Amino acid sequence: MPDDIRDLQPSETSALLGNNNNPTVASYVDGTTERERRVDNVDDTPIPEGLPSVQLIFVLLAVWSGVFLSAIDTTVISTLLAPISSSFSSFKSISWVASAYLIANAALQPLFGKLTDIYGRRSGLIICHILFGIGTLMCGIAKNEYTMIAGRVIAGAGGGGMTTISSIVASDLVPLRKRGIVQGGGNLSYGVGAALGGVFGGFIHDRIGWRWAFLIQVPFVALSAIMVAVFVRIPVKKTSVARHKRVDYAGAFTLVTSLVLLLVALNSGGNIFPWTHPLVLTCLFLSFLCLFAFGYIEKNLAKEPVIPYFYCPIYFMVRGQSPTDAGLRLTPFAAGISVGSLSAGIAMNKSGQYYTIGLLTLLVFNAGVASICTFNLTTPLFPQFFNFFVFGAGYGGALTVTLLALIAAVDRSQQAVVTSASYAFRSTGSTIGVAIGGAIFQNVLGKKLIEYIGTGKEAMEIIDKVRERFDAIDSIPPEYTGRVKDAYMDALHAVFYVSLAIGVCALISSTFMREHKLHNTLDRK
């Protein structure tokens, strides 16, 4: 390969995902354009040697162990939200415990994708394991809600990187045509972890306390990091530019700041402060300003730029189930993710296409969400299990199809950043969804409690009590219990209906997805 093609130096106008249609998007030191450099699909990104099946399995198991642990940590918090918030008397700010994890997860994933291109997949995975372990340990020893939230931020940064980089590694080692099946395997790891997480968290809480649900994870995180260090070996692209100068610090900072400010506004508005409060309005304005700055930096300045089912356990607990039982009732959702993802991967491998499969998965997803909207305090057990399975199957299938569609649409050299961008958008959506869900839940709950109980002195004391501590429902006078549960159900239904509306929007937007070839070889020739 000629040296002038081997030593490409992107200029400050190089875009995150490239632009195959605009020859002026990227220029090089000798004056040539990106399109001219792509003659005959020339690509200087190192292609890992094809691994024997046994060795490939060990590599994938090593990276999937991190996915499994990240999934456990995600769902363990879903069943522990109520006990944790009750311990700190902070039920009003319950969404922060969940969204703190997701915000770091979303904001840093694009940066992790680029960092692994620069420093290597193994180094990135090990650093993410360290962050995840530290954050999880902080959650286990937290003495107040602020330490808990800080721990969730650090764990979220590590957990997001572990999940994203595992997918990038799979793209490095597996051709696109078979990539869907491997993604199904990764989502199977996630699904098993998600299924066990809720049950594990509830079981540990019911017996020795919620803190141990975090502390027990730490040794397994260390073991997973050792597996990565031993098995993951993927070549790194080398350039003449110093590594630290290739990191888009400004882009990462503006994206994180934008998400933090948006979450402050969504969690505070209508809950702690009125929506017209100066703090809420200022945070919203600054959030959009930072988002605009992020877009400007990515387009014009960066050298190598970066780019909700938490309320379901509350439904089960309102019905009187313990955290352990709530976790058990979420296992069909996690199982559905695994089945849906693997099925979509097999279908894409057989057909070589994904457009129709993508639309079908989103139809299944919306059918599942619509059925959950009909749940009430007397819904039998079988519909709960079946509908959550359908919901998960559609969700898992959609994740696999959309990721493959994105990877297939760009050059092989861009697959790491587009994978991390995909996970970033997914996590950003989850972050904003949890924040919006929290705002809707708390606003509707407050109004319905006043409507059903009244505004007298005793009524207001009960309202303040149940909004501060979820477990306070068990200690209020019996004549108020039914009305409080009805208010909770109205608030949950509001969140579920908004989720359905978002799912319909996703289905509509997916009709604009384009079909690209799924190659059978790593070099895509």
Side-chain angles (χ1 to χ4, degrees):
M1 182 180 296
D3 292 337
D4 62 338
I5 293 180
R6 213 186 299 266
D7 298 323
L8 302 182
Q9 297 183 22
S11 73
E12 293 189 359
T13 60
S14 299
L16 165 63
L17 303 181
N19 190 330
N20 294 335
N21 299 320
N22 185 356
T24 65
V25 165
S27 59
Y28 294 83
V29 292
D30 62 356
T32 60
T33 64
E34 188 167 355
R35 173 174 289 180
E36 292 168 341
R37 290 285 191 160
R38 277 197 195 135
V39 176
D40 296 328
N41 291 323
V42 171
D43 188 349
D44 68 330
T45 303
I47 301 177
E49 295 181 3
L51 297 179
S53 298
V54 174
Q55 188 176 350
L56 177 62
I57 290 173
F58 275 107
V59 173
L60 293 176
L61 287 177
V63 297
W64 285 346
S65 64
V67 175
F68 175 78
L69 292 169
S70 178
I72 285 182
D73 203 56
T74 300
T75 55
V76 77
I77 197 68
S78 69
T79 55
L80 295 179
L81 280 175
I84 291 172
S85 61
S86 294
S87 296
F88 300 136
S89 296
S90 57
F91 192 67
K92 284 185 179 180
S93 58
I94 186 174
S95 61
W96 272 110
V97 179
S99 57
Y101 182 94
L102 293 173
I103 184 174
N105 192 302
L108 296 180
Q109 279 181 349
L111 185 60
F112 279 131
K114 176 53 65 177
L115 287 175
T116 62
D117 274 346
I118 299 172
Y119 293 100
R121 313 292 192 228
R122 181 175 60 170
S123 299
L125 275 171
I126 292 174
I127 290 173
C128 289
H129 276 76
I130 293 172
L131 290 173
F132 184 75
I134 292 173
T136 303
L137 179 62
M138 288 177 63
C139 291
I141 63 177
K143 300 300 182 183
N144 54 59
E145 62 183 295
Y146 304 108
T147 305
M148 184 76 190
I149 291 172
R152 294 300 291 169
V153 168
I154 297 173
M162 289 156 61
T163 303
T164 303
I165 299 172
S166 71
S167 189
I168 295 173
V169 168
S171 295
D172 289 334
L173 301 176
V174 180
L176 280 179
R177 187 69 175 262
K178 298 179 180 178
R179 181 66 179 78
I181 296 178
V182 173
Q183 185 65 25
N187 285 349
L188 178 62
S189 300
Y190 180 90
V192 173
L196 293 176
V199 180
F200 168 74
F203 178 83
I204 296 296
H205 166 70
D206 290 343
R207 283 156 180 80
I208 56 177
W210 60 263
R211 295 181 183 278
W212 285 99
F214 296 102
L215 296 174
I216 291 175
Q217 297 181 56
V218 177
F220 293 99
V221 177
L223 179 61
S224 177
I226 293 172
M227 292 175 62
V228 168
V230 172
F231 293 112
V232 177
R233 296 283 194 280
I234 295 177
V236 182
K237 176 182 176 180
K238 297 181 180 180
T239 70
S240 60
V241 181
R243 288 181 174 184
H244 71 276
K245 292 182 179 180
R246 298 169 60 193
V247 181
D248 181 19
Y249 298 106
F253 174 79
T254 51
L255 179 58
V256 171
T257 304
S258 175
L259 285 172
V260 169
L261 291 170
L262 179 61
L263 282 171
V264 169
L266 292 177
N267 280 280
S268 302
N271 185 22
I272 301 174
F273 303 110
W275 285 104
T276 55
H277 191 279
L279 174 65
V280 177
L281 296 177
T282 301
C283 287
L284 285 173
F285 172 75
L286 292 177
S287 174
F288 288 112
L289 188 64
C290 288
L291 187 61
F292 175 80
F294 170 72
Y296 179 81
I297 290 170
E298 299 305 287
K299 184 177 186 298
N300 300 298
L301 301 180
K303 291 183 178 180
E304 296 191 38
V306 298
I307 190 174
Y309 64 96
F310 285 105
Y311 290 92
C312 295
I314 295 179
Y315 163 73
F316 297 126
M317 293 180 197
V318 168
R319 294 192 54 166
Q321 268 83 44
S322 67
T324 303
D325 291 335
L328 285 170
R329 282 165 171 74
L330 284 177
T331 53
F333 173 77
I337 291 178
S338 303
V339 172
S341 178
L342 192 57
S343 298
I346 294 173
M348 286 186 289
N349 183 50
K350 292 289 186 182
S351 65
Q353 298 177 333
Y354 53 82
Y355 180 85
T356 303
I357 299 170
L359 296 183
L360 288 174
T361 59
L362 283 168
L363 282 172
V364 172
F365 171 83
N366 282 293
V369 177
S371 62
I372 292 173
C373 291
T374 65
F375 284 4
N376 55 47
L377 292 172
T378 60
T379 301
L381 187 61
F382 176 77
Q384 296 176 42
F385 275 44
F386 178 77
N387 293 335
F388 271 111
F389 176 84
V390 173
F391 175 28
Y395 178 71
L399 293 183
T400 300
V401 173
T402 52
L403 177 61
L404 263 291
L406 281 171
I407 296 175
V410 300
D411 289 342
R412 184 176 55 83
S413 61
Q414 303 270 355
Q415 65 188 20
V417 287
V418 80
T419 299
S420 59
S422 170
Y423 277 87
F425 274 97
R426 183 193 308 178
S427 298
T428 301
S430 298
T431 307
I432 296 174
V434 168
I436 292 175
I440 293 172
F441 181 82
Q442 290 294 342
N443 278 270
V444 174
L445 178 62
K447 292 178 180 178
K448 290 298 181 180
L449 285 171
I450 292 175
E451 179 182 336
Y452 294 156
I453 297 178
T455 56
K457 181 179 179 180
E458 183 182 16
M460 294 306 297
E461 289 177 353
I462 291 174
I463 290 174
D464 289 339
K465 193 174 182 180
V466 298
R467 293 192 70 187
E468 286 292 339
R469 298 178 61 93
F470 178 80
D471 57 6
I473 296 178
D474 298 328
S475 61
I476 62 177
E479 62 268 24
Y480 291 105
T481 302
R483 283 177 276 177
V484 169
K485 288 186 175 183
D486 287 339
Y488 267 93
M489 282 306 307
D490 287 344
L492 288 169
H493 279 138
V495 175
F496 295 155
Y497 281 123
V498 171
S499 299
L500 178 59
I502 294 173
V504 172
C505 291
L507 175 61
I508 294 173
S509 65
S510 292
T511 61
F512 297 96
M513 185 167 56
R514 295 178 59 187
E515 188 92 61
H516 292 271
K517 183 177 180 179
L518 297 178
H519 293 82
N520 276 310
T521 59
L522 286 174
D523 59 8
R524 302 193 186 185
K525 293 181 181 179

